[in-house]
Structures are given as structure tokens and as C-alpha cells.
């Protein structure tokens, strides 16, 4: 019996010693605590002042540690409209990536990729398919040179004119470093190949576009200001092109007008030489602006569904999920376009299938958003369609305004 009592006393002493070892003094209120948080003031026991590398690892873990939740989140985000939002609002949240973290993760990748596509010559929205166009031009030059050998005198002059034109295209695409010239030449080659493949003259719309680009191309090569920049490009809010604000003094308005004139001149030079740095600067401003636009969009939904008894944070969750979906879809479309450009010459049939699939994905975006709005707010189809249209138009205006602000901001910093 004494042996058992001795064992108990020893065990109690060891437990007391372990308890003392786990007791920590809070650095804020100096109270004794044994958990991860102080029971008196709530401050975390673990210090936030750590080695820099440990902090970086924690941040990366917070942002990218989607573990198994990623597969349960990304797939429904793409194909199940409103599923994630309804699950989150209903309180079933632990199995999915939180909306804000999801938005941050996708938007970071999206805007990084967007800047890459902006500077890419083989894909994206700047100088699209320049490499492919050069190959088409070289093939057409070879065909025209072979045609000259057997052509009669009546068509020989026309072949020489067309051959000279395609050699100019070849020079612009292979040796010219001006991005604007390459982009315009690429579009001209696309129109030329459309005429050649159809074995018929261009229709009225395409011919008008061809003549317009040809004129702009000559103006750029000669160093002349482009027609659309001379007549249409102005940041000024007055008829004379000046920019004034009513409550500013005359002297400050004059300074503002000079600053705006300098921005317009900088934009004109960028459009006539290489607009890629300017576009990259503007894209670099979009993440901050879009983060401001998110709560505005949520407020717009709150106004549209004022009597739905939804909390503002519920509308914000809708905004986060819908923007995550849109960014992810645009990213997929850009990747498909890039891949399609790369295989267009080697595998034209696969490229055509990719093009068809891209059209389907693009069409899925508005359909998805409409179904999402219908399933979340649970109103009739006609009322949902009306509100979806009003919300869409209002948001497109906000997006256009955001684009203008990003452009001017990027112009100022470029």
C-alpha cells in the first residue's frame, strides 16, 4: 500500500513539474497561461517576431496550402454555379478554400500571367501570332516566285506587285523592332491570307479595315502622328483639350493641363513605337483597383437585392467567387490561345478543336454567372434576367472606368 502511495506522489510531482514547464508568462499582461492564447487579454503566446525565412514560409503556407480542399474547390468553381457560395453561406466551410484566399490565389496567378501575355509575341493580346504570320508570308513569297516562272505577260505585273507587298510584310515581321508595326503587319497578313484562302476579294468591312491599317502602318513608318491619335485621343475634359477642375485656382488648373498634355504626348509616342511597357504598367495597377472594385460590386448587389434580407458579407462572398471564376476562365482562355498559336502550323486540326472549345468556354462565362445569380438569390427567371442585365451593364461601366484609371496611372508611372 505504501508502495502505491509512493508511486502516486511521484506521478503527481512529475505532472506538477510538466504543468509548470508548460506555463508561460504573457508578454502583454504578464498573466500565467498554459494555452496558445492568454486567458486574460487574448494575445497569442507565440511571438510574431521570428526569423524572416520562417515568416515567409508561414505566408506561403497560408496562401498556397490548399491541400485536399483545392480539388473540392476549384472544380465546383468552374462547373457548378453558386455551389461554393451557397455552401459557404450555409456554414459548410471547412472543406473548401475560403473565398478571400481563393480570390487572392487566383488573382495573383491571373495578373502575373496577364503581364506575361502582354509581352509575348507568340500568344496573348499583343502582337498575336507574329511568328505564324511570318511563316505564312514566307510560304506565299515562295508560291509567288514559282508562279512567275510560268505566268504570262498579262498577270506578271500583278504578281510582281503582290510579291513586293509580301516582301515588305516579311521585312516588318522579321527585322523591325517596332511592336506597333509588327502588330499592324500581322493583322494585314491575316486579311491577305483570308482573301487568298477564300479565292475572292475581301468583303466591304474587311476591305475598309485593310485600308485603315495600311494607312496607319505608313504613318507609323514615316514617323507621322496616327490619325486616331490626332483626332480622338485626349484626356482633357474641355473642347480645347485642356483639363480643368472647377474648385482649383487658375494657376493650378494651368499646371494640371500641362501635366495632362505631357501624358497625352507620352501615350502618343507609346502607341507609335512600343506600347507593351505602357500596357504592362497599366496591368500592374489592376490588382489594387480590382480589390477596390470588389466591395463596390458587392454594394451593387446589395442595392439590386435590397429586400432579400441578405447580409452585405454574403454579397461580398458572391463577388469574390464570381471574380475568381472570371479570372480563372480568362486565364484558361489565354493559355488555350497561346497553345493554339503554337500548334497552328504543325497541327491545324487540333488548333481548330481548341478554337471551338475556347468559344464554348467564353460562352459559358455569362451563362454561369446568370445561373449563379438565379440559384443564390432564388428569384424568377424574368426578374433574375432583368437584374442580371442591370448589374452587368453597371459593372461593365465600372470596369471601363477602372481600365481608364489603370491606363492613366500606368501612363504616369511609365
Amino acid at each position: 500500500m505504501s508502495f502505491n502511495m509512493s508511486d502516486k506522489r511521484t506521478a503527481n510531482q512529475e505532472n506538477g513539474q510538466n504543468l509548470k514547464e508548460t506555463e508561460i508568462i504573457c508578454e502583454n499582461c504578464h498573466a500565467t497561461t498554459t494555452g496558445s492564447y492568454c486567458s486574460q487579454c487574448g494575445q497569442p503566446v507565440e511571438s510574431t517576431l521570428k526569423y524572416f525565412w520562417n515568416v515567409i514560409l508561414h505566408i506561403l503556407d497560408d496562401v498556397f496550402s490548399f491541400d485536399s480542399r483545392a480539388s473540392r474547390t476549384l472544380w465546383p468553381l468552374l462547373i457548378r454555379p453558386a455551389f461554393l457560395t451557397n455552401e459557404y453561406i450555409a456554414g459548410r466551410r471547412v472543406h473548401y478554400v475560403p473565398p478571400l484566399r481563393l480570390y487572392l490565389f487566383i488573382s495573383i496567378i491571373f495578373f502575373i500571367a496577364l503581364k506575361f501575355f502582354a509581352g509575348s509575341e507568340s500568344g496573348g493580346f499583343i502582337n498575336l501570332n507574329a511568328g505564324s504570320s511570318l511563316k505564312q508570308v514566307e510560304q506565299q513569297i515562295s508560291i509567288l516566285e514559282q508562279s512567275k516562272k510560268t505566268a504570262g505577260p498579262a498577270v506578271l505585273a500583278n504578281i510582281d506587285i503582290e510579291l513586293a507587298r509580301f516582301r515588305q510584310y516579311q521585312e516588318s515581321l522579321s527585322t523591325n523592332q517596332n511592336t506597333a508595326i509588327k502588330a499592324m503587319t500581322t493583322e494585314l497578313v491575316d486579311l491577305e491570307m483570308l482573301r487568298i484562302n477564300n479565292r475572292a476579294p475581301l468583303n466591304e468591312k474587311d476591305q475598309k479595315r485593310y485600308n485603315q491599317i495600311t494607312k496607319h502602318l505608313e504613318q507609323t513608318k514615316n514617323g507621322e502622328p496616327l490619325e486616331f491619335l490626332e483626332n480622338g485621343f485626349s484626356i482633357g475634359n474641355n473642347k480645347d483639350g485642356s483639363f480643368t477642375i472647377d474648385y482649383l485656382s487658375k494657376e493650378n488648373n494651368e499646371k494640371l493641363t500641362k501635366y495632362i498634355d505631357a501624358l497625352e504626348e507620352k501615350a502618343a509616342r507609346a502607341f507609335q513605337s512600343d506600347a507593351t511597357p505602357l500596357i504592362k504598367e497599366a496591368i500592374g495597377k489592376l490588382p489594387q483597383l480590382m480589390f477596390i472594385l470588389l466591395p463596390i460590386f458587392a454594394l451593387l448587389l446589395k442595392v439590386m437585392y435590397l429586400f432579400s434580407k441578405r447580409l452585405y458579407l454574403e454579397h461580398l462572398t458572391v463577388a469574390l467567387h464570381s471574380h475568381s471564376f472570371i479570372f480563372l476562365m480568362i486565364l484558361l482562355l489565354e493559355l488555350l490561345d497561346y497553345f493554339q498559336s503554337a500548334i497552328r502550323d504543325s497541327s491545324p486540326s487540333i488548333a481548330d478543336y481548341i478554337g471551338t472549345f475556347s468559344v464554348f468556354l467564353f460562352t459559358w462565362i455569362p451563362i454561369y454567372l446568370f445561373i449563379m445569380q438565379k440559384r443564390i438569390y432564388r428569384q424568377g427567371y424574368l426578374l433574375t434576367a432583368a437584374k442580371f442585365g442591370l448589374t452587368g451593364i453597371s459593372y461593365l461601366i465600372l470596369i471601363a472606368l477602372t481600365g481608364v484609371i489603370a491606363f492613366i496611372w500606368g501612363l504616369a508611372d511609365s
Side-chain angles (χ1 to χ4, degrees), residues 162-214:
E162 191 166 350
L163 192 57
R165 191 167 67 251
F166 271 87
R167 281 175 177 156
Q168 286 182 351
Y169 296 154
Q170 184 184 34
E171 182 183 357
S172 296
L173 291 172
S174 59
T175 63
N176 202 301
Q177 299 302 312
N178 188 312
T179 308
I181 289 177
K182 282 189 173 183
M184 285 187 279
T185 303
T186 298
E187 192 167 354
L188 284 177
V189 170
D190 288 342
L191 291 170
E192 291 271 17
M193 298 312 298
L194 180 65
R195 172 183 59 82
I196 291 168
N197 292 333
N198 291 340
R199 297 181 180 180
L202 295 172
N203 59 42
E204 185 178 349
K205 180 182 176 182
D206 289 337
Q207 187 61 50
K208 184 178 179 181
R209 180 64 181 159
Y210 179 89
N211 295 337
Q212 186 182 44
I213 299 169
T214 302

Side-chain angles (χ1 to χ4, degrees), residues 23 65 81 100 108 155 172 185 190 217 221 225 233 259 278 288 317 329 341 344 350 363 377:
E23 287 179 349
S65 65
L100 182 58
I108 287 169
V155 295
S172 296
T185 303
D190 288 342
L217 183 60
K221 285 182 176 180
F233 182 78
Y259 180 71
L278 172 58
Q288 303 95 300
T317 303
M329 291 299 293
S341 302
R344 181 176 280 113
I350 297 176
T363 309
Y377 297 106

Side-chain angles (χ1 to χ4, degrees), residues 18-174:
N18 291 334
L19 184 62
K20 288 181 180 177
E21 287 177 357
T22 58
E23 287 179 349
I24 299 172
I25 303 299
C26 174
E27 294 177 349
N28 182 50
C29 66
H30 307 292
T32 302
T33 184
T34 57
S36 299
Y37 295 87
C38 176
S39 58
Q40 296 297 320
C41 67
Q43 176 171 288
V45 170
E46 187 179 5
S47 175
T48 56
L49 298 175
K50 304 176 182 179
Y51 289 108
F52 179 74
W53 181 243
N54 287 340
V55 175
I56 294 297
L57 288 177
H58 275 288
I59 292 172
L60 291 175
D61 182 64
D62 285 342
V63 175
F64 296 104
S65 65
F66 286 4
D67 48 68
S68 60
R69 291 179 297 172
S71 59
R72 289 195 294 263
T73 303
L74 293 177
W75 190 243
L77 179 67
L78 287 173
I79 65 169
R80 298 185 68 179
F83 174 79
L84 289 176
T85 309
N86 284 331
E87 287 287 286
Y88 191 81
I89 292 172
R92 295 183 287 272
R93 301 165 188 168
V94 71
H95 297 297
Y96 310 105
V97 180
L100 182 58
R101 186 182 295 183
L102 179 68
Y103 171 81
L104 290 174
F105 175 74
I106 292 176
S107 64
I108 287 169
I109 296 175
F110 172 73
F111 286 112
I112 290 173
L114 205 61
K115 291 190 78 169
F116 166 75
F117 287 124
S120 172
E121 292 192 359
S122 57
F125 51 86
I126 299 297
N127 203 16
L128 186 62
N129 302 330
S132 176
S133 296
L134 180 58
K135 290 180 181 178
Q136 289 178 324
V137 167
E138 289 171 346
Q139 289 173 358
Q140 189 60 25
I141 288 173
S142 177
I143 292 170
L144 290 170
E145 286 176 343
Q146 289 294 324
S147 300
K148 280 185 69 175
K149 297 177 181 179
T150 57
V155 295
L156 193 59
N158 291 333
I159 292 176
D160 284 334
I161 293 171
E162 191 166 350
L163 192 57
R165 191 167 67 251
F166 271 87
R167 281 175 177 156
Q168 286 182 351
Y169 296 154
Q170 184 184 34
E171 182 183 357
S172 296
L173 291 172
S174 59

Side-chain angles (χ1 to χ4, degrees), residues 140-364:
Q140 189 60 25
I141 288 173
S142 177
I143 292 170
L144 290 170
E145 286 176 343
Q146 289 294 324
S147 300
K148 280 185 69 175
K149 297 177 181 179
T150 57
V155 295
L156 193 59
N158 291 333
I159 292 176
D160 284 334
I161 293 171
E162 191 166 350
L163 192 57
R165 191 167 67 251
F166 271 87
R167 281 175 177 156
Q168 286 182 351
Y169 296 154
Q170 184 184 34
E171 182 183 357
S172 296
L173 291 172
S174 59
T175 63
N176 202 301
Q177 299 302 312
N178 188 312
T179 308
I181 289 177
K182 282 189 173 183
M184 285 187 279
T185 303
T186 298
E187 192 167 354
L188 284 177
V189 170
D190 288 342
L191 291 170
E192 291 271 17
M193 298 312 298
L194 180 65
R195 172 183 59 82
I196 291 168
N197 292 333
N198 291 340
R199 297 181 180 180
L202 295 172
N203 59 42
E204 185 178 349
K205 180 182 176 182
D206 289 337
Q207 187 61 50
K208 184 178 179 181
R209 180 64 181 159
Y210 179 89
N211 295 337
Q212 186 182 44
I213 299 169
T214 302
K215 184 178 180 180
H216 289 165
L217 183 60
E218 288 301 316
Q219 287 177 326
T220 304
K221 285 182 176 180
N222 296 332
E224 301 171 8
L226 295 182
E227 187 180 61
F228 73 93
L229 291 176
E230 272 188 330
N231 302 329
F233 182 78
S234 177
I235 306 175
N237 59 353
N238 298 314
K239 290 182 179 179
D240 60 356
S242 63
F243 190 96
T244 57
I245 300 175
D246 292 338
Y247 61 82
L248 291 180
S249 65
K250 183 179 179 182
E251 183 181 352
N252 287 331
N253 272 322
E254 287 176 356
K255 289 180 181 179
L256 183 60
T257 298
K258 287 180 181 179
Y259 180 71
I260 295 298
D261 288 342
L263 289 181
E264 290 176 358
E265 186 178 346
K266 190 188 289 187
R269 287 198 305 268
F271 280 120
Q272 283 199 272
S273 55
D274 186 359
T276 303
L278 172 58
I279 292 174
K280 283 187 173 182
E281 281 289 343
I283 291 172
K285 312 303 178 187
L286 284 175
Q288 303 95 300
L289 293 172
M290 289 303 299
F291 204 73
I292 296 171
L293 195 60
L294 272 170
I296 297 175
F297 178 67
L299 184 61
L300 183 62
L301 289 173
K302 178 72 174 175
V303 172
M304 287 290 175
Y305 294 93
L306 193 59
F307 302 106
S308 64
K309 297 181 181 180
R310 296 274 187 177
L311 298 173
Y312 174 77
L313 285 178
E314 294 181 60
H315 299 296
L316 188 58
T317 303
V318 176
L320 288 167
H321 279 149
S322 58
H323 280 75
S324 298
F325 165 75
I326 292 169
F327 287 167
L328 192 56
M329 291 299 293
I330 294 174
L331 181 60
L332 288 174
L333 287 168
E334 284 288 351
L335 290 171
L336 286 172
D337 182 68
Y338 189 83
F339 183 63
Q340 183 185 19
S341 302
I343 66 167
R344 181 176 280 113
D345 294 327
S346 58
S347 305
S349 58
I350 297 176
D352 290 339
Y353 283 122
I354 292 173
T356 304
F357 184 61
S358 297
V359 171
F360 168 76
L361 287 183
F362 186 78
T363 309
W364 175 236

